[in-house]
Amino acid sequence: MEETRILVVDDEQEIADLLELYLISDGYQVIKSGDALEGLAIMEREKIDLVLLDIMMPKMDGLEMCRKIREKHNVPIIMVSAKTQELDKIVGLTTGADDYVTKPFNPLELMARVKSQLRRYRDLNPANEKKGAEDSTIRLNHVTIIKETHQVFVDGESIKLTPIEFDILYLLASHPGRVFSTDEIFEKVWNEKVYEANNTVMVHIRRIREKIEITPKNPKYLKVVWGIGYKIEKL
């Protein structure tokens, strides 16, 4: 079985070494970089399955590196940052990160997040699909969602979603008209209990809207039900 390779990008050597220790103990292969530019170069020449990314780094910060990764790659990205304000988390997720963990982090929680993101990524990777798997395609007017190939089309145009974004959209689209609370979405998509009040789901919903809606501020498909949650409108 091919070894899972995780790229750790952090200019704090002690943190990078600590992450490497935990990851290796869980059976992962680790590549470290203290520089975002070097990290991007590694992404181009190595097969990377997940990125653990710090925000505050010299030359290029983690937010810009995240944006550049998303231009070419769909691998899970977990921000690991000392910036703890809710706005910082929102900005990190908005740039394309799948999850955000603050320093100092709980090692068990971080490893659980890593496993969760890798599991989701592999489940959605068409190369890992079993032959003969039933085609689960959802068509909602001008939006087509194909689970097996992790593809979304709007008016025939292919739209790129991160694994988390795809999971949220597929969950809602599988139950058109049903309202899901943010906690329910989090628990079903992240496959874990809500650990704190946060805007993670809201940020991902906003990114999905920007990608599938003609007018994101006046959405046709992905609707908010104030005080309750979100739904995909029956069309």
Side-chain angles (χ1 to χ4, degrees):
M1 185 176 177
E2 189 174 355
E3 199 166 16
T4 300
R5 310 184 83 186
I6 295 179
L7 174 62
V8 175
V9 185
D10 197 316
D11 64 328
E12 293 184 66
Q13 188 67 44
E14 290 184 5
I15 296 292
D17 290 345
L18 186 62
L19 288 168
E20 180 182 37
L21 181 65
Y22 290 130
L23 291 165
I24 289 176
S25 68
D26 268 15
Y28 301 116
Q29 182 178 348
V30 179
I31 301 175
K32 292 186 296 182
S33 173
D35 180 296
L37 293 173
E38 180 188 43
L40 288 171
I42 291 170
M43 292 286 297
E44 292 306 306
R45 66 173 185 263
E46 304 280 356
K47 180 185 178 297
I48 300 297
D49 298 291
L50 181 143
V51 180
L52 289 174
L53 179 59
D54 185 30
I55 290 181
M56 295 185 291
M57 292 184 290
K59 298 181 183 177
M60 176 188 292
D61 65 23
L63 298 175
E64 184 60 24
M65 180 179 177
C66 183
R67 291 188 191 97
K68 289 188 176 297
I69 291 173
R70 282 288 171 251
E71 289 174 3
K72 296 183 178 180
H73 306 282
N74 202 34
V75 299
I77 300 172
I78 301 177
M79 293 281 192
V80 184
S81 176
K83 303 185 80 171
T84 60
Q85 295 299 313
E86 191 66 26
L87 180 60
D88 296 320
K89 296 182 183 181
I90 291 172
V91 172
L93 294 169
T94 301
T95 60
D98 296 287
D99 209 345
Y100 192 111
V101 177
T102 57
K103 300 175 185 177
F105 52 82
N106 180 317
L108 293 178
E109 179 186 328
L110 180 59
M111 291 304 104
R113 303 279 190 92
V114 167
K115 289 185 178 112
S116 175
Q117 292 297 333
L118 286 169
R119 182 172 59 249
R120 178 174 295 103
Y121 179 62
R122 285 167 177 158
D123 286 347
L124 293 173
N125 187 339
N128 296 325
E129 292 293 333
K130 295 179 181 178
K131 291 183 179 179
E134 183 182 351
D135 178 38
S136 299
T137 299
I138 297 174
R139 292 180 177 86
L140 297 167
N141 204 344
H142 300 292
V143 178
T144 300
I145 307 162
I146 307 172
K147 185 175 184 181
E148 274 61 47
T149 56
H150 190 209
Q151 289 176 292
V152 176
F153 296 90
V154 178
D155 289 324
E157 181 182 352
S158 179
I159 306 298
K160 286 184 67 175
L161 298 182
T162 67
I164 286 284
E165 291 166 1
F166 184 90
D167 269 9
I168 293 173
L169 179 61
Y170 192 84
L171 170 67
L172 298 178
S174 299
H175 305 83
R178 177 183 166 186
V179 181
F180 288 83
S181 70
T182 53
D183 284 359
E184 192 175 6
I185 293 171
F186 187 92
E187 291 177 2
K188 287 182 179 296
V189 171
W190 276 260
N191 201 26
E192 59 182 81
K193 289 291 183 182
V194 176
Y195 49 89
E196 62 181 12
N198 61 62
N199 292 315
T200 302
V201 171
M202 180 197 71
V203 174
H204 287 294
I205 291 284
R206 188 168 66 196
R207 284 179 56 79
I208 295 168
R209 275 182 174 164
E210 290 171 353
K211 294 178 180 182
I212 72 169
E213 300 282 1
I214 296 173
T215 310
K217 291 184 178 180
N218 185 26
K220 180 179 179 181
Y221 302 106
L222 214 173
K223 302 276 192 175
V224 61
V225 180
W226 294 108
I228 302 176
Y230 300 94
K231 68 175 180 176
I232 287 287
E233 194 72 271
K234 285 184 177 179
L235 297 172

